[in-house]
Amino acid sequence: MNSPLITLENIDIKARERSILSIPSFELQKGEILGVMGPNGAGKSTLLKTLALLDPPQSGSIKFQGQTVSDSSALVVRRKIAVALQQSLLLDTSVYQNVAVGLKIRNRPKREIKEQVAYWLDVFKISHLAKKHAHHLSGGEAQRVNLARAMILEPEVLFLDEPFSALDFPTKVQLLKDIKQVVEETNTTTVFISHDLMEIKYFTNRLAILIGGEIKQHGPTEEVLAFPNSASATFIGEWNHLLS
Ligand SMILES: Nc1ncnc2c1ncn2[C@@H]1O[C@H](COP(=O)(O)OP(=O)(O)O)[C@@H](O)[C@H]1O
Ligand SMILES: [Mg+2]
């Protein structure tokens, strides 16, 4: 059954007169794990920023659960969204404080914050790092803190922009397994940008191919990869060729 969480209509984003994202219509369904794949400069990060309401669109409309997002409602909706980027951008303090910050801003009681931070540190297997300074972590550890910091907000939608690109292979595989389990257990709608077919195949159940600012194909991940249409065939074909 269709239950659109975020709907885009007639989105057109230009930078220096050049169109960088053009989406006539798009729906992110509740509960799906959507992969977004495409070449460098295709507009993937721009699409993520648009869906996550980080950049108001210059034209068109965005709906969240069927309601048009206005300037005044954007703040409320944004509280239902969490974003994790490739660079974890952790604060200059302990791991504990980094994970606690979102709940502190929301003025949650101290005891609840303590319980929640302990819970999410445990989920992401970083309890032993609680007192460590965030700037002294390995890349994989920092990304775990970054994900714990996002998930503690219990977001309706989690946006991940190439979060594992800078990690070595074993670190990436372990983290992929863990985040997949967390997202599935919490039933969190997720948008996952990646340029890695292995990550996309393992983690996502829907896939959008973005090329030149346009969604060329969108459907179940296995279907899109097995039957690329003529527009996305060049891009997916290169991957299939590489892996065959
Ligand atoms: N603020 C900006 N000003 C000018 N050009 C931009 C800006 N942001 C993105 N672009 C351009 O828009 C295109 C899409 O960028 P981006 O969404 O970052 O692509 P991707 O994440 O797929 O690599 C690129 O050609 C990029 O150079
Ligand atoms: Mg990008």
Side-chain angles (χ1 to χ4, degrees):
M1 207 183 67
N2 272 12
S3 176
L5 194 57
I6 303 179
T7 311
L8 301 183
E9 267 163 31
N10 299 318
I11 296 295
D12 204 350
I13 297 181
K14 291 189 171 66
R16 298 198 202 98
E17 309 287 299
R18 195 170 61 90
S19 173
I20 56 173
L21 189 69
S22 174
I23 314 273
S25 75
F26 181 79
E27 281 183 351
L28 177 70
Q29 304 294 337
K30 195 167 166 49
E32 73 183 19
I33 303 177
L34 173 77
V36 178
M37 241 188 141
N40 269 336
K44 302 184 294 296
S45 295
T46 307
L47 173 62
L48 180 137
K49 283 184 214 152
T50 304
L51 285 166
L53 308 174
L54 296 174
D55 271 351
Q58 295 146 340
S59 74
S61 76
I62 305 178
K63 287 185 185 144
F64 193 88
Q65 290 172 330
Q67 304 278 327
T68 301
V69 178
S70 61
D71 289 349
S72 57
S73 66
L75 211 68
V76 177
V77 176
R78 225 175 284 146
R79 288 207 152 189
K80 302 176 180 188
I81 287 171
V83 181
L85 308 174
Q86 182 184 339
Q87 304 297 341
S88 46
L89 304 172
L90 298 178
L91 303 172
D92 185 14
T93 175
S94 67
V95 165
Y96 181 95
Q97 294 299 339
N98 266 279
V99 177
V101 70
L103 297 185
K104 278 193 166 170
I105 288 169
R106 289 171 193 203
N107 287 318
R108 296 285 181 76
K110 220 170 178 171
R111 219 193 63 191
E112 184 196 328
I113 295 178
K114 232 174 141 177
E115 276 172 18
Q116 286 293 309
V117 173
Y119 176 79
W120 286 104
L121 290 179
D122 182 49
V123 166
F124 284 102
K125 302 171 183 162
I126 46 175
S127 303
H128 60 293
L129 301 173
K131 293 198 176 105
K132 202 161 176 175
H133 196 282
H135 291 173
H136 298 154
L137 302 172
S138 72
E141 288 168 349
Q143 200 51 266
R144 284 176 182 273
V145 175
N146 198 25
L147 293 170
R149 189 173 58 166
M151 287 306 296
I152 200 171
L153 302 173
E154 298 179 17
E156 289 267 345
V157 199
L158 175 67
F159 289 95
L160 303 169
D161 193 349
E162 307 202 20
F164 313 129
S165 306
L167 305 180
D168 61 68
F169 189 73
T171 305
K172 173 194 297 205
V173 169
Q174 200 49 56
L175 198 42
L176 256 176
K177 278 188 187 168
D178 291 343
I179 188 69
K180 182 174 155 87
Q181 192 182 351
V182 169
V183 158
E184 284 175 356
E185 277 176 7
T186 54
N187 204 11
T188 306
T189 308
T190 302
V191 177
F192 176 63
I193 293 185
S194 169
H195 53 242
D196 185 326
L197 189 64
M198 186 274 293
E199 294 180 8
I200 291 283
K201 266 186 166 166
Y202 176 73
F203 187 26
T204 72
N205 45 46
R206 309 260 311 163
L207 177 59
I209 303 294
L210 191 71
I211 301 174
E214 295 176 6
I215 294 175
K216 301 292 188 187
Q217 195 170 359
H218 180 207
T221 301
E222 285 183 8
E223 209 174 292
V224 173
L225 293 177
F227 307 105
N229 64 20
S230 57
S232 55
T234 332
F235 179 71
I236 294 172
E238 276 174 31
W239 270 104
N240 287 337
H241 182 71
L242 189 72
L243 298 175
S244 65

